[in-house]
Amino acid sequence: MADRSSLEEGFQPTNETQGLLHHRTGPWKVHCVKIAIILIIFAGIIFVFVGIASIFESNDPTNPHLVIVRNGAVSAEQEDCSKIGVQMLKEGGSAVDAAIAAEICVGTINAFSAGIGGGGFMIIRDSNGTAEVIDFRETAPAAANKTMFKDKPILAKYGGLSVGIPGEVRGIEIAHQKYGKLPWKRLFEPSIKLSRDGFKVPAELAIKMKWYEKALLETPNLASIYAPNGKLLGEGDLLKRTNFSKTLELIAENGSEVFYRGSIAKSIIKTIQATGGIMTLEDLSNFEPVVSKPIYGYYHGRKVIMTLNVPSGGPVLLSMLNILEGFQLTRGELNGLNLHRIIETLKFGFALRTEMGDPPFTNNTERIEEIMTKDYAAKIRKNISDSITFEPSYYNPLYDVSEDHGTTHISTVDKNNQAVALSSTVNLIWGSQVMDLETGILLNDEMDDFSIPGVPNYFGLYPSPYNFIIPRKKPLSSCAPAIVENNGEFEMAIGGSGGSRILSSVLQVLLNVYDFEQDLLTSIHTPRVHHQLIPNEITAETGYSKELLDELKGKNHSIKIIEYKLGVSEIQAVMRLPNGLINAASDYRKHGIAAGY
């Protein structure tokens, strides 16, 4: 919702103006003018409120939160976390400070999405225009091997063997050392208080707890947090993470060293090994994030900055943007033909994704660079028929890849236009379902993102050799945080959660903004489609017209309708407008609310 104080600042008469009015009109007239100005301000605010509310006439009126501010904004999946990030900005912190504080908060409240037991990627665009990526994606332990899950694939999803080496703490510490302005300890204080004193269970957490009630109740360490009296907590109940608050205090005081080599490390490893894992203290102590230059491409003249090459989803997203650019969707409408072209592009994109893997282990760098070029996109575009879709083999996939679900994204921008796009994950919802009771840390199950030789996935496809397990290798990820520049200036930071649907969701929001000329809030909240090649069907959120869906069916598409509010993928974004104001929005599919000042 619009920030009233920020809007009013733009209408306040200066002291010089007030003096001039007094000199020319006298005190009585000045008083009348002041009243008129107040009325104009009030009318302007009403206009903004009404204008924003009208956006939601065809959507969900329960969450009309488009943030409109002047200085800085944070878009996180949880309202308290967005506000915590903004508080850091108000105290003079950078966009990096805000992103870190908000991320720690998300890991505290929505532990099913992300947390210090996981990892991810962060793009940082500094106020001077330079950009770099911090890759703190989890890696395989030294004792891992490509056949370790062949006989029992379920162990890649649950238990200690599924845990990849967590990278988040060391990743955010490097970011803070390079770009932080506030003390490291300050970034942890709000979440320490939340976990120690307790917080009311918000709507999204309550939903996820209900979905996973059986697992939470049957796992003692999780039950001690989410069902402390033997009954699952519900929305509005007080949830405390006392041991986790002590862990955050240790990290706040001692930095990442205590997590990777100290008491926290010892406790984590003890729990992992007790639940069947092979990770060692040496694995933890040897983990190092990768800091590098981002990859980038151009879409209608705008520079799109992505995370480093694979294992993120950046190359695939850039390839899809290149394909669609040639169709000249700009100023068009989302009709059946345009939606068909988007879906066909998704199918080709997900076929290309099967060729992705951690670059130091795959030796296919030239191929990855090729698929990000405009020339390659032109070749793909020629194979897209406007009249019909095809079977998966037409798109030349290599094999299958896994996907992640328990993910979060945070977008921030500060008053100096430093911007951050941070995506973090514990992989599946509630990760490995292994919580170290002593530290309160919920651990990831990132090993499930690797492919298992000889074991077909749910859809019967065999695994990709580019994504086999190798010691200290990173599994493929769908995370696709991005920052957009316009004429060399910051314009947007965007990213999302939802496994393989991250790619299709980020793509469609970008198209909504830059081709279909929607405002940021509408772009995020408009219904979306998804197609990942296998199974060969569109999943379409409720909200599309029957006529449009029938047109797709006429092109031989199979369509599965999913409830819009199911929240299978969610986007968070901040955007600087040409007039200097910032818009920020968080997807209400996950009950998200952004904040700013």
Coordinates of all heavy atoms in Angstrom, one line a residue, residues 465-536:
P465 N 23.5 -37.0 -17.3 CA 24.9 -37.2 -16.8 C 25.5 -35.9 -16.4 O 26.5 -35.9 -15.6 CB 25.6 -37.8 -18.1 CG 24.8 -37.4 -19.2 CD 23.4 -37.3 -18.7
Y466 N 25.0 -34.7 -16.9 CA 25.6 -33.5 -16.5 C 25.3 -33.1 -15.0 O 26.0 -32.3 -14.4 CB 25.1 -32.3 -17.3 CG 25.6 -32.3 -18.8 CD1 24.7 -32.6 -19.8 CD2 26.9 -32.1 -19.0 CE1 25.2 -32.6 -21.1 CE2 27.4 -32.2 -20.3 CZ 26.5 -32.4 -21.4 OH 27.0 -32.4 -22.7
N467 N 24.4 -33.9 -14.4 CA 24.0 -33.5 -13.1 C 24.2 -34.7 -12.1 O 23.6 -34.8 -11.1 CB 22.5 -33.1 -13.1 CG 22.1 -32.4 -11.8 OD1 22.9 -31.6 -11.3 ND2 20.9 -32.6 -11.3
F468 N 25.1 -35.6 -12.5 CA 25.4 -36.7 -11.5 C 26.2 -36.2 -10.4 O 26.9 -35.2 -10.5 CB 26.2 -37.8 -12.3 CG 25.4 -38.7 -13.2 CD1 26.1 -39.4 -14.2 CD2 24.1 -38.8 -13.0 CE1 25.3 -40.2 -15.0 CE2 23.3 -39.6 -13.9 CZ 24.0 -40.4 -14.9
I469 N 26.1 -36.9 -9.2 CA 26.9 -36.5 -8.0 C 28.4 -36.7 -8.2 O 28.8 -37.8 -8.7 CB 26.4 -37.3 -6.8 CG1 24.9 -37.1 -6.6 CG2 27.2 -37.0 -5.6 CD1 24.3 -38.0 -5.5
I470 N 29.1 -35.7 -7.8 CA 30.6 -35.8 -7.7 C 31.0 -35.1 -6.5 O 30.3 -34.1 -6.1 CB 31.3 -35.2 -8.9 CG1 31.0 -35.9 -10.2 CG2 32.8 -35.1 -8.8 CD1 31.5 -35.3 -11.5
P471 N 31.9 -35.6 -5.7 CA 32.3 -34.9 -4.4 C 32.6 -33.4 -4.7 O 33.2 -33.0 -5.6 CB 33.6 -35.6 -4.0 CG 33.4 -37.0 -4.6 CD 32.7 -36.8 -5.9
R472 N 32.0 -32.6 -3.8 CA 32.1 -31.1 -3.8 C 31.5 -30.4 -5.0 O 31.7 -29.3 -5.3 CB 33.5 -30.7 -3.6 CG 34.1 -31.1 -2.3 CD 35.4 -30.4 -1.9 NE 35.8 -30.7 -0.6 CZ 36.6 -31.7 -0.2 NH1 37.1 -32.5 -1.2 NH2 36.9 -31.9 1.0
K473 N 30.7 -31.2 -5.8 CA 29.9 -30.6 -6.9 C 28.6 -30.0 -6.4 O 28.1 -30.4 -5.4 CB 29.6 -31.7 -7.9 CG 28.9 -31.2 -9.2 CD 28.7 -32.4 -10.1 CE 28.0 -32.0 -11.4 NZ 27.7 -33.2 -12.3
K474 N 28.1 -29.0 -7.2 CA 26.9 -28.3 -6.8 C 25.8 -28.9 -7.7 O 26.0 -29.0 -9.0 CB 27.0 -26.8 -7.0 CG 28.0 -26.2 -6.1 CD 28.2 -24.7 -6.4 CE 29.2 -24.1 -5.5 NZ 29.5 -22.7 -5.8
P475 N 24.6 -29.2 -7.2 CA 23.5 -29.7 -8.0 C 22.8 -28.5 -8.8 O 23.0 -27.4 -8.4 CB 22.5 -30.3 -7.0 CG 22.8 -29.5 -5.7 CD 24.3 -29.2 -5.7
L476 N 22.2 -28.9 -9.9 CA 21.5 -27.9 -10.7 C 20.4 -27.3 -9.9 O 19.7 -27.9 -9.0 CB 20.9 -28.6 -11.9 CG 20.4 -27.7 -13.0 CD1 21.5 -26.8 -13.5 CD2 19.8 -28.6 -14.1
S477 N 20.1 -26.0 -10.2 CA 19.1 -25.2 -9.5 C 18.2 -24.5 -10.4 O 18.7 -24.1 -11.5 CB 19.7 -24.2 -8.5 OG 18.7 -23.4 -7.9
S478 N 17.0 -24.3 -10.1 CA 16.0 -23.5 -10.9 C 16.1 -22.0 -10.5 O 15.4 -21.2 -11.1 CB 14.6 -24.0 -10.8 OG 14.5 -25.3 -11.3
C479 N 16.8 -21.7 -9.4 CA 16.8 -20.3 -8.9 C 17.3 -19.4 -10.0 O 18.3 -19.6 -10.7 CB 17.8 -20.2 -7.7 SG 17.1 -21.0 -6.2
A480 N 16.6 -18.3 -10.2 CA 16.9 -17.3 -11.3 C 16.8 -15.9 -10.8 O 16.0 -15.1 -11.4 CB 16.0 -17.6 -12.5
P481 N 17.5 -15.5 -9.8 CA 17.4 -14.0 -9.4 C 18.0 -13.2 -10.5 O 18.9 -13.6 -11.2 CB 18.3 -14.0 -8.2 CG 19.2 -15.1 -8.3 CD 18.5 -16.2 -9.0
A482 N 17.4 -12.0 -10.7 CA 17.9 -11.1 -11.8 C 17.7 -9.7 -11.4 O 16.9 -9.3 -10.6 CB 17.0 -11.4 -13.1
I483 N 18.6 -8.8 -12.0 CA 18.5 -7.4 -11.9 C 18.5 -6.8 -13.3 O 19.2 -7.2 -14.2 CB 19.7 -6.9 -11.1 CG1 19.6 -7.3 -9.6 CG2 19.8 -5.3 -11.2 CD1 20.7 -6.9 -8.7
V484 N 17.6 -5.8 -13.5 CA 17.4 -5.2 -14.8 C 17.9 -3.8 -14.7 O 17.6 -3.0 -13.8 CB 15.9 -5.3 -15.3 CG1 15.8 -4.6 -16.6 CG2 15.4 -6.7 -15.3
E485 N 18.7 -3.4 -15.8 CA 19.1 -2.0 -15.9 C 18.4 -1.4 -17.1 O 18.2 -2.0 -18.1 CB 20.6 -1.9 -16.1 CG 21.4 -2.2 -14.8 CD 22.9 -2.0 -15.0 OE1 23.3 -1.8 -16.2 OE2 23.7 -2.1 -14.1
N486 N 18.2 -0.1 -17.1 CA 17.6 0.7 -18.2 C 18.5 1.9 -18.4 O 18.7 2.7 -17.5 CB 16.2 1.1 -18.0 CG 15.6 1.7 -19.2 OD1 16.1 1.7 -20.3 ND2 14.4 2.4 -19.0
N487 N 19.2 1.9 -19.6 CA 20.2 3.0 -19.9 C 21.2 3.2 -18.8 O 21.6 4.3 -18.4 CB 19.4 4.3 -20.1 CG 18.5 4.3 -21.3 OD1 18.9 3.8 -22.3 ND2 17.4 4.9 -21.2
G488 N 21.7 2.0 -18.3 CA 22.8 2.0 -17.3 C 22.3 2.3 -15.8 O 23.2 2.3 -14.9
E489 N 21.0 2.5 -15.6 CA 20.5 2.8 -14.3 C 19.7 1.6 -13.8 O 19.1 0.9 -14.6 CB 19.6 4.0 -14.3 CG 20.3 5.3 -14.7 CD 21.4 5.7 -13.7 OE1 21.2 5.4 -12.5 OE2 22.4 6.3 -14.2
F490 N 19.7 1.4 -12.5 CA 18.9 0.3 -11.9 C 17.5 0.5 -12.2 O 16.9 1.6 -12.1 CB 19.1 0.2 -10.4 CG 18.1 -0.6 -9.7 CD1 18.2 -2.0 -9.7 CD2 17.0 0.0 -9.1 CE1 17.2 -2.8 -9.1 CE2 16.0 -0.8 -8.4 CZ 16.1 -2.2 -8.5
E491 N 16.8 -0.6 -12.5 CA 15.4 -0.5 -12.7 C 14.6 -1.6 -11.9 O 13.5 -1.3 -11.4 CB 15.0 -0.7 -14.2 CG 13.6 -0.5 -14.5 CD 13.3 -0.3 -16.0 OE1 13.5 -1.3 -16.8 OE2 12.9 0.8 -16.4
M492 N 15.1 -2.8 -11.9 CA 14.3 -3.9 -11.2 C 15.2 -4.9 -10.6 O 16.2 -5.3 -11.2 CB 13.3 -4.5 -12.2 CG 12.4 -5.6 -11.5 SD 11.5 -6.6 -12.7 CE 10.5 -5.4 -13.5
A493 N 14.8 -5.4 -9.5 CA 15.4 -6.7 -8.9 C 14.2 -7.7 -8.7 O 13.2 -7.3 -8.2 CB 16.1 -6.4 -7.6
I494 N 14.4 -8.9 -9.2 CA 13.3 -9.8 -9.2 C 13.8 -11.3 -9.0 O 15.0 -11.6 -9.3 CB 12.6 -9.7 -10.6 CG1 11.3 -10.6 -10.6 CG2 13.5 -10.1 -11.8 CD1 10.4 -10.4 -11.8
G495 N 13.0 -12.1 -8.5 CA 13.3 -13.5 -8.4 C 12.1 -14.2 -7.7 O 11.1 -13.5 -7.4
G496 N 12.2 -15.5 -7.5 CA 11.0 -16.2 -7.0 C 11.3 -17.5 -6.4 O 12.5 -17.9 -6.3
S497 N 10.3 -18.2 -5.9 CA 10.4 -19.6 -5.4 C 9.4 -20.4 -6.1 O 8.5 -20.0 -6.8 CB 10.1 -19.5 -3.9 OG 8.8 -19.0 -3.6
G498 N 9.5 -21.8 -6.0 CA 8.6 -22.7 -6.6 C 9.2 -23.7 -7.5 O 8.6 -24.2 -8.5
G499 N 10.5 -24.1 -7.2 CA 11.1 -25.1 -8.0 C 11.2 -24.8 -9.5 O 11.6 -23.6 -9.8
S500 N 10.9 -25.7 -10.4 CA 11.1 -25.4 -11.8 C 10.2 -24.3 -12.3 O 10.4 -23.7 -13.3 CB 10.8 -26.7 -12.6 OG 9.5 -27.2 -12.3
R501 N 9.1 -24.0 -11.5 CA 8.2 -22.9 -11.9 C 8.8 -21.5 -11.7 O 8.2 -20.6 -12.1 CB 6.9 -23.1 -11.1 CG 6.0 -24.2 -11.5 CD 4.8 -24.4 -10.7 NE 3.9 -25.4 -11.2 CZ 4.0 -26.7 -11.0 NH1 5.0 -27.1 -10.2 NH2 3.1 -27.5 -11.5
I502 N 10.0 -21.5 -11.0 CA 10.6 -20.2 -10.9 C 10.9 -19.6 -12.2 O 10.7 -18.4 -12.5 CB 11.9 -20.3 -10.1 CG1 11.7 -20.7 -8.6 CG2 12.7 -19.0 -10.1 CD1 12.9 -21.1 -7.8
L503 N 11.5 -20.4 -13.1 CA 11.8 -19.9 -14.5 C 10.6 -19.4 -15.2 O 10.7 -18.3 -15.8 CB 12.5 -21.0 -15.3 CG 13.9 -21.4 -14.8 CD1 14.4 -22.7 -15.4 CD2 14.9 -20.3 -15.1
S504 N 9.5 -20.1 -15.3 CA 8.4 -19.7 -16.0 C 7.7 -18.5 -15.4 O 7.2 -17.6 -16.0 CB 7.4 -20.8 -16.1 OG 6.9 -21.3 -14.9
S505 N 7.8 -18.4 -14.0 CA 7.1 -17.3 -13.3 C 7.9 -16.0 -13.5 O 7.3 -14.9 -13.8 CB 7.0 -17.6 -11.8 OG 6.1 -18.7 -11.6
V506 N 9.3 -16.0 -13.3 CA 10.1 -14.8 -13.5 C 9.9 -14.4 -15.0 O 9.8 -13.2 -15.3 CB 11.6 -15.1 -13.2 CG1 12.4 -13.9 -13.6 CG2 11.7 -15.4 -11.7
L507 N 10.0 -15.3 -15.9 CA 9.8 -14.9 -17.3 C 8.5 -14.2 -17.6 O 8.5 -13.1 -18.2 CB 9.9 -16.2 -18.2 CG 9.6 -16.0 -19.7 CD1 10.8 -15.3 -20.3 CD2 9.4 -17.3 -20.4
Q508 N 7.4 -14.7 -17.1 CA 6.1 -14.1 -17.4 C 6.0 -12.7 -16.7 O 5.3 -11.8 -17.3 CB 5.0 -15.1 -17.0 CG 4.9 -16.2 -18.0 CD 3.9 -17.3 -17.5 OE1 2.7 -17.2 -17.7 NE2 4.5 -18.3 -16.8
V509 N 6.5 -12.6 -15.5 CA 6.4 -11.3 -14.9 C 7.2 -10.2 -15.7 O 6.8 -9.1 -15.9 CB 6.9 -11.3 -13.4 CG1 7.0 -9.9 -12.8 CG2 6.0 -12.2 -12.6
L510 N 8.4 -10.6 -16.2 CA 9.2 -9.7 -17.0 C 8.4 -9.3 -18.3 O 8.4 -8.2 -18.7 CB 10.5 -10.3 -17.3 CG 11.5 -10.5 -16.2 CD1 12.8 -11.3 -16.6 CD2 12.0 -9.1 -15.7
L511 N 7.8 -10.3 -18.9 CA 7.0 -10.0 -20.1 C 5.8 -9.1 -19.8 O 5.5 -8.2 -20.5 CB 6.5 -11.4 -20.7 CG 7.5 -12.4 -21.2 CD1 6.8 -13.6 -21.7 CD2 8.4 -11.8 -22.3
N512 N 5.2 -9.4 -18.6 CA 4.1 -8.5 -18.2 C 4.5 -7.1 -18.1 O 3.7 -6.1 -18.5 CB 3.4 -9.0 -16.9 CG 2.7 -10.3 -17.1 OD1 2.3 -10.7 -18.2 ND2 2.5 -11.0 -16.0
V513 N 5.6 -6.8 -17.5 CA 6.1 -5.5 -17.3 C 6.6 -4.8 -18.6 O 6.2 -3.7 -19.0 CB 7.3 -5.4 -16.3 CG1 7.9 -4.0 -16.2 CG2 6.8 -5.8 -14.9
Y514 N 7.4 -5.5 -19.4 CA 8.1 -4.9 -20.5 C 7.4 -5.1 -21.8 O 7.7 -4.3 -22.8 CB 9.6 -5.4 -20.6 CG 10.4 -5.0 -19.4 CD1 11.0 -5.9 -18.5 CD2 10.5 -3.6 -19.1 CE1 11.7 -5.5 -17.4 CE2 11.2 -3.2 -18.0 CZ 11.8 -4.1 -17.1 OH 12.5 -3.7 -16.1
D515 N 6.6 -6.1 -22.0 CA 5.9 -6.3 -23.2 C 4.4 -5.9 -23.1 O 3.9 -5.2 -24.0 CB 6.0 -7.8 -23.7 CG 7.3 -8.1 -24.2 OD1 7.7 -7.5 -25.2 OD2 8.1 -8.9 -23.6
F516 N 3.7 -6.3 -22.0 CA 2.3 -6.0 -21.9 C 2.0 -4.8 -21.1 O 0.9 -4.5 -20.8 CB 1.6 -7.3 -21.4 CG 1.8 -8.5 -22.2 CD1 2.3 -9.7 -21.6 CD2 1.6 -8.5 -23.6 CE1 2.6 -10.8 -22.4 CE2 1.9 -9.6 -24.4 CZ 2.4 -10.8 -23.8
E517 N 3.1 -4.1 -20.7 CA 3.0 -2.8 -20.0 C 2.1 -2.8 -18.8 O 1.3 -1.8 -18.6 CB 2.6 -1.7 -21.0 CG 3.6 -1.6 -22.2 CD 3.2 -0.5 -23.1 OE1 2.0 -0.2 -23.3 OE2 4.2 0.1 -23.7
Q518 N 2.2 -3.8 -18.0 CA 1.5 -3.8 -16.7 C 2.3 -3.2 -15.6 O 3.6 -3.2 -15.7 CB 1.1 -5.2 -16.3 CG 0.1 -5.9 -17.3 CD -0.1 -7.3 -17.0 OE1 0.4 -7.9 -16.0 NE2 -1.0 -8.0 -17.7
D519 N 1.7 -2.6 -14.6 CA 2.5 -2.2 -13.4 C 3.0 -3.4 -12.7 O 2.6 -4.5 -12.9 CB 1.6 -1.3 -12.5 CG 0.5 -2.1 -11.9 OD1 0.7 -2.8 -10.9 OD2 -0.6 -2.1 -12.4
L520 N 3.9 -3.2 -11.8 CA 4.6 -4.3 -11.1 C 3.7 -5.2 -10.3 O 3.8 -6.4 -10.4 CB 5.7 -3.7 -10.1 CG 6.6 -4.8 -9.5 CD1 7.4 -5.5 -10.5 CD2 7.5 -4.1 -8.4
L521 N 2.7 -4.6 -9.6 CA 1.8 -5.4 -8.8 C 0.9 -6.3 -9.7 O 0.8 -7.5 -9.5 CB 0.9 -4.5 -8.0 CG 0.1 -5.2 -6.9 CD1 0.9 -5.8 -5.9 CD2 -0.9 -4.2 -6.3
T522 N 0.4 -5.7 -10.8 CA -0.5 -6.5 -11.7 C 0.4 -7.6 -12.4 O -0.1 -8.7 -12.6 CB -1.1 -5.6 -12.7 OG1 -1.8 -4.5 -12.0 CG2 -2.1 -6.3 -13.6
S523 N 1.6 -7.2 -12.7 CA 2.5 -8.2 -13.4 C 2.7 -9.4 -12.6 O 2.8 -10.6 -13.1 CB 3.8 -7.5 -13.7 OG 3.6 -6.5 -14.6
I524 N 2.8 -9.2 -11.3 CA 3.1 -10.4 -10.4 C 1.8 -11.2 -10.1 O 1.8 -12.4 -10.0 CB 3.7 -9.9 -9.0 CG1 5.1 -9.4 -9.3 CG2 3.7 -11.0 -8.0 CD1 5.8 -8.7 -8.1
H525 N 0.7 -10.5 -10.0 CA -0.5 -11.1 -9.5 C -1.4 -11.6 -10.7 O -2.4 -12.3 -10.4 CB -1.4 -10.1 -8.7 CG -0.7 -9.9 -7.3 ND1 -1.1 -8.8 -6.5 CD2 0.4 -10.4 -6.7 CE1 -0.3 -8.8 -5.4 NE2 0.6 -9.8 -5.5
T526 N -1.0 -11.3 -11.9 CA -1.7 -11.9 -13.1 C -1.6 -13.4 -13.1 O -0.5 -13.9 -12.8 CB -1.2 -11.3 -14.4 OG1 -1.5 -9.9 -14.4 CG2 -1.8 -12.0 -15.6
P527 N -2.6 -14.2 -13.4 CA -2.5 -15.7 -13.5 C -1.3 -16.0 -14.5 O -1.0 -15.3 -15.5 CB -3.8 -16.1 -14.1 CG -4.8 -15.0 -13.6 CD -4.0 -13.7 -13.7
R528 N -0.7 -17.2 -14.2 CA 0.4 -17.6 -15.0 C 0.2 -19.1 -15.5 O -0.5 -19.8 -14.9 CB 1.7 -17.6 -14.1 CG 2.1 -16.1 -13.7 CD 3.5 -16.1 -13.2 NE 3.6 -16.6 -11.8 CZ 3.6 -15.8 -10.7 NH1 3.5 -14.5 -10.8 NH2 3.8 -16.4 -9.5
V529 N 1.0 -19.4 -16.5 CA 1.0 -20.8 -17.0 C 2.4 -21.4 -16.8 O 3.4 -20.6 -16.6 CB 0.7 -20.9 -18.5 CG1 -0.7 -20.5 -18.8 CG2 1.7 -20.0 -19.3
H530 N 2.5 -22.7 -16.8 CA 3.8 -23.4 -16.7 C 3.8 -24.6 -17.6 O 2.8 -25.3 -17.7 CB 4.0 -23.8 -15.2 CG 5.3 -24.6 -15.0 ND1 6.5 -24.0 -15.1 CD2 5.5 -25.9 -14.8 CE1 7.5 -24.9 -14.9 NE2 6.8 -26.1 -14.7
H531 N 5.0 -24.8 -18.2 CA 5.2 -26.0 -19.0 C 6.7 -26.4 -18.9 O 7.5 -25.6 -19.2 CB 4.8 -25.8 -20.5 CG 4.5 -27.1 -21.2 ND1 5.3 -28.2 -21.1 CD2 3.4 -27.5 -21.9 CE1 4.8 -29.2 -21.8 NE2 3.6 -28.8 -22.3
Q532 N 7.0 -27.6 -18.3 CA 8.3 -28.0 -18.2 C 8.7 -29.2 -19.1 O 9.6 -29.9 -18.8 CB 8.6 -28.3 -16.7 CG 7.8 -29.4 -16.1 CD 8.0 -29.6 -14.7 OE1 8.1 -28.7 -13.9 NE2 8.2 -30.9 -14.3
L533 N 8.0 -29.3 -20.2 CA 8.2 -30.3 -21.2 C 7.6 -31.7 -20.8 O 6.9 -32.3 -21.6 CB 9.6 -30.4 -21.6 CG 10.0 -31.2 -22.9 CD1 9.3 -30.5 -24.1 CD2 11.5 -31.3 -23.1
I534 N 8.0 -32.2 -19.7 CA 7.6 -33.4 -19.1 C 6.9 -33.2 -17.8 O 7.6 -32.7 -16.9 CB 8.7 -34.5 -19.0 CG1 9.4 -34.7 -20.3 CG2 8.2 -35.8 -18.4 CD1 8.5 -35.3 -21.4
P535 N 5.6 -33.5 -17.6 CA 4.7 -34.1 -18.5 C 4.3 -33.1 -19.6 O 4.4 -31.9 -19.4 CB 3.5 -34.5 -17.7 CG 3.5 -33.5 -16.6 CD 5.0 -33.2 -16.3
N536 N 3.8 -33.6 -20.7 CA 3.5 -32.7 -21.8 C 2.1 -32.1 -21.7 O 1.2 -32.4 -22.4 CB 3.6 -33.5 -23.1 CG 3.5 -32.6 -24.4 OD1 3.8 -31.4 -24.3 ND2 3.2 -33.2 -25.5

